[in-house]
Amino acid sequence: MVDLTDLLTDLAAESAELDSLVAPLSTADWARSTPAPGWTIGHQIAHLAWTDHAAWLAATDADAFYSSVTSAADPARLVDAGAEEFLAPPGELLPRWRSGRTALAAALAATPAGDKLPWYGTTMSPASMVTARIMETWAHGTDVADALRVTRPATARLRHIAYLGFRTLGHSFAAHGRPLPTTPVRVDLTAPATPHTGDATWSYGPADAADLVTGPALDFCLLVTQRRHRADLALTATGLVADAWLDVAQAFAGPPGAGRAPAAEAPA
C-alpha cells in the first residue's frame, strides 16, 4: 500500500512539472488548441483548478460538494462548464490553480485514512483521491504537451496511473453499458527506465490469469486516460476480455469518454 504522504509528494511533483511547462507561456500560447476538442491550454489548466476545488469541497464540506453537483444547470456539461467557469487570463488562472492544489493537498493530508470522500457517482478514500488527481494532472498535462509539441519524460509516477487503470477495469465496461467481466485479467507493464525503476515490470492481477495485457507502462497510461488510440500503442492483449477492455478502458470516473482517433485518422 502506498503511503498518503508519498502520494501527495508525487502529486506535487506532477503538478510542478506541468506548472513549469505553462508558466513561461505567452498569453497567445495559453490560447493554443489542444487535442481535446474546443479546449485550449487555458481550458486544461482551468479544468484542473476546477476539479481540485471540487475535490477540496469533497474533503472539507460534503454537503457543499453535493450541492455543487445537484445545482448544475446541465449535468451533461458539468466538466465543460467547470472549465469555462474557472477559465481566466493566465495571470489570474495560474495563481488560482497553485493555491487550489495547495489547499487540496492540506485537506487530504488532514483527512483520516478510513474516511470516504464523495465523488461523481462513487466515494473515494483520501489515497484514491490523490491517485485520481495524479492521473488527471498527468493526462491533461499530456494534452498541453501535445499542443506545445514537446515530449515529457516518463517517470516512476506513472505507476499510480497504471494501477488505477487496472483497478477501473470493471468501471470501464460498466460505463460503456457492457456486462462486468468475470474472467480475471493480468497486466504486465514495462516500467519507464528511470533511476527508481531500472528494468522493472509492474504487474497487476492473478499470475495465472489466461487473459493478459502486456506492453510499455507509458502506453498503458496513455490508453486508460484515453490520450491515444490503442492502434497507436504497443500494447498486446491475449484473451477476449483483455482485448475488449483495450477498446473501452478509462481510468476516470463518469460516463464513457470519446477517446482519440487513430493517428492515421486524426486531423493534422
Side-chain angles (χ1 to χ4, degrees):
M1 179 178 293
V2 180
D3 181 76
L4 180 61
T5 300
D6 292 338
L7 281 168
L8 287 168
T9 297
D10 281 351
L11 174 58
E14 195 64 47
S15 300
E17 182 180 285
L18 177 54
D19 195 312
S20 69
L21 196 59
V22 300
L25 297 180
S26 66
T27 300
D29 280 335
W30 278 75
R32 281 197 194 194
S33 295
T34 68
W39 277 28
T40 64
I41 289 176
H43 284 92
Q44 298 285 350
I45 301 303
H47 171 73
L48 290 175
W50 172 73
T51 46
D52 282 346
H53 176 70
W56 175 80
L57 280 181
T60 60
D61 190 338
D63 289 340
F65 171 80
Y66 285 124
S67 177
S68 72
V69 176
T70 58
S71 64
D74 183 358
R77 290 199 73 255
L78 189 66
V79 172
D80 285 320
E84 292 163 4
E85 177 189 351
F86 274 61
L87 187 63
E92 178 183 342
L93 176 55
L94 190 55
R96 186 176 192 179
W97 176 44
R98 288 169 175 167
S99 62
R101 68 190 198 232
T102 298
L104 172 61
L108 291 173
T111 303
D115 283 11
K116 291 290 187 179
L117 308 177
W119 200 237
Y120 300 98
T122 187
T123 60
M124 306 178 78
S125 68
S128 293
M129 182 68 81
V130 181
T131 302
R133 299 312 306 137
I134 293 172
M135 179 272 295
E136 280 253 40
T137 303
W138 181 82
H140 292 283
T142 297
D143 288 342
V144 171
D146 286 347
L148 296 172
R149 299 185 183 278
V150 299
T151 300
R152 299 182 301 165
T155 74
R157 296 189 297 272
L158 290 179
R159 69 191 186 280
H160 304 304
I161 303 166
Y163 176 66
L164 183 60
F166 168 73
R167 287 291 303 272
T168 51
L169 183 154
H171 167 70
S172 298
F173 281 88
H176 287 78
R178 300 190 184 187
L180 298 183
T182 56
T183 300
V185 178
R186 170 83 169 181
V187 177
D188 287 331
L189 304 173
T190 304
T194 73
H196 300 289
T197 61
D199 296 323
T201 298
W202 297 337
S203 297
Y204 313 101
D208 60 350
D211 278 48
L212 178 67
V213 171
T214 61
L218 173 60
D219 286 22
F220 184 72
C221 292
L222 288 167
L223 180 86
V224 299
T225 57
Q226 297 192 354
R227 263 50 194 182
R228 297 289 188 275
H229 191 276
R230 66 175 293 184
D232 301 317
L233 300 170
L235 296 172
T236 300
T238 302
L240 294 177
V241 172
D243 184 66
W245 179 30
L246 296 193
D247 286 331
V248 298
Q250 65 176 64
F252 48 89
R260 299 284 160 81
E265 302 176 12

